[in-house]
Amino acid sequence: MNDLAPLLTPEGRALLDEVRGTAPADELAVATRLRRGHPAGLVSAALGQARLRQRAAAKFGAEDAERMFFTPNGVEQSTRASVAAYRAERLRALGVTSVADLCCGIGGDAIALARAGIRVLAVDRDPLTAAAARANADALGLAGLIDVREADVTEVDTASYDAVFVDPARRGGRGRIFDPEAYSPPLSWAVRAALKAPHAALKVAPGIPHEAVPAEAEAEWISDGGDVKEAVLWFGTAPGAVRATLLPGPRSLLGRGLPDPEVRSVGRYLYEPDGAVIRAHLVAEAAEELDGGLIDPTIAYVTADALRATPYATAYEITDRLPFNVKKLKALLREREVGILTVKKRGSAVEPEELRRKALPKPQGPHSVTVFLTRVAGAPTMLLGRPAGLT
């Protein structure tokens, strides 16, 4: 699929309606039937677009995805709608009314910005990607706020815009790119573009080293439903600030430069911090809220004797602490009639699926247990427990 134009014709749109929701197992039969009355290439393009729309529903919601147009890379690399909406709202709250969206992809962020009432210049150098962004703005009734331009972002004048948003490509022919200077365009170029604008937001990989964050930037790590989605470098907000933001909500934990928490013996409760909290290096801030400490100086598990509500960590009540021993674990699970075993690990080389297979080859009963493979005071340890409910 190298051209969206045929799908935008009345015939193409009619085909898209007809193949909506086609199951993979039915594609051959549907294609054979439709090729009797339509060009084979157009039928293949419609079925391919239907597959992409089904994949995109997880990010954009079924209602929008069924109207939008996608490329394979666009589905893979676009921002989840909930995250894009949060970021757009932050820009709106800063008083931003116009944004130059550089490396706009298929337009996911431009859509969120426009829905926040912000005028957007959406730029991408790839013709097919820019065509998808333009089609999406039109399909969602936002063409009046989104101007899509096919161009090299390094040659675009952004001086007349309140803010710049840059989402560099972080995938290459060999997969994900971890070096920020290997992004396209490089992070250093994006920072220079950001510093020219009153406000800016640069989307980067959540694994970006903290030392790579410019001194002029605020660094924010964002998770959605417990999964870390991205990091954002903000300019024109609070230079040097670090925060972890959890969606839905949003709930934000702001760094206060606290020292590492003290190490304590394992208490009644174990707290697993949200991934954004860990990536932002804010475990100490979360631990202070919980009046907790670490189980090991190198492990991001917090322990405490009291159960406290927090959005920044998931609480478990610990029932057993054992040295790592598969046979002992297997016997204990059999004795307690455990049929559901959840395995989490941090600081252990053992794969959860391997332990689950060895320790619980056959479900033994109705009960469930969570096992944490970790280290306590440097020693390989298994902590057994269950999710702790607040009453």
Side-chain angles (χ1 to χ4, degrees), residues 137-360:
D138 183 63
L140 299 179
L142 299 169
L145 283 170
I146 302 175
D147 175 21
V148 180
R149 186 181 304 175
E150 182 188 326
D152 185 330
V153 297
T154 63
E155 299 175 358
V156 175
D157 182 6
T158 63
S160 63
Y161 292 86
D162 296 339
V164 169
F165 172 67
V166 189
D167 182 5
R170 295 179 299 283
R171 286 183 178 271
R174 297 183 179 180
R176 292 182 180 177
I177 297 172
F178 297 98
D179 178 7
E181 284 306 297
Y183 292 173
S184 180
L187 179 61
S188 56
W189 178 88
V191 170
R192 289 195 297 273
L195 292 172
K196 296 176 183 178
H199 297 286
L202 312 183
K203 177 180 171 182
V204 294
I208 185 173
H210 280 234
E211 56 269 23
V213 175
E216 302 92 339
E218 168 196 340
E220 179 179 34
W221 279 260
I222 303 173
S223 69
D224 187 14
D227 295 328
V228 182
K229 295 302 180 183
E230 65 180 54
V232 185
L233 305 182
W234 293 92
F235 294 79
T237 55
V242 176
R243 74 172 66 222
T245 297
L246 282 56
L247 302 177
R251 301 293 296 269
S252 286
L253 182 64
L254 188 64
R256 301 193 301 281
L258 299 181
D260 290 340
E262 64 178 10
V263 177
R264 302 183 186 179
S265 59
V266 178
R268 183 177 177 182
Y269 296 99
L270 186 76
Y271 292 86
E272 182 182 27
D274 183 271
V277 173
I278 295 173
R279 293 279 194 175
H281 297 178
L282 298 182
V283 174
E285 281 75 1
E288 184 182 67
E289 284 195 1
L290 298 166
D291 192 24
L294 300 179
I295 63 171
D296 185 277
T298 63
I299 303 295
Y301 282 138
V302 175
T303 187
D305 293 319
L307 180 60
R308 296 188 179 184
T310 176
Y312 305 115
T314 302
Y316 295 84
E317 184 175 9
I318 299 302
T319 58
D320 300 89
R321 171 181 170 179
L322 304 170
F324 181 80
N325 187 303
V326 177
K327 289 184 178 180
K328 287 185 178 180
L329 176 62
K330 184 177 180 179
L332 185 62
L333 297 178
R334 184 170 57 248
E335 175 188 333
R336 295 185 181 174
E337 299 182 319
V338 171
I340 301 175
L341 179 63
T342 301
V343 182
K344 295 175 173 286
K345 75 165 190 172
R346 187 160 292 156
S348 172
V350 178
E351 290 300 323
E353 188 54 45
E354 177 186 358
L355 179 68
R356 190 182 296 108
R357 185 176 62 253
K358 291 180 178 179
L360 195 67

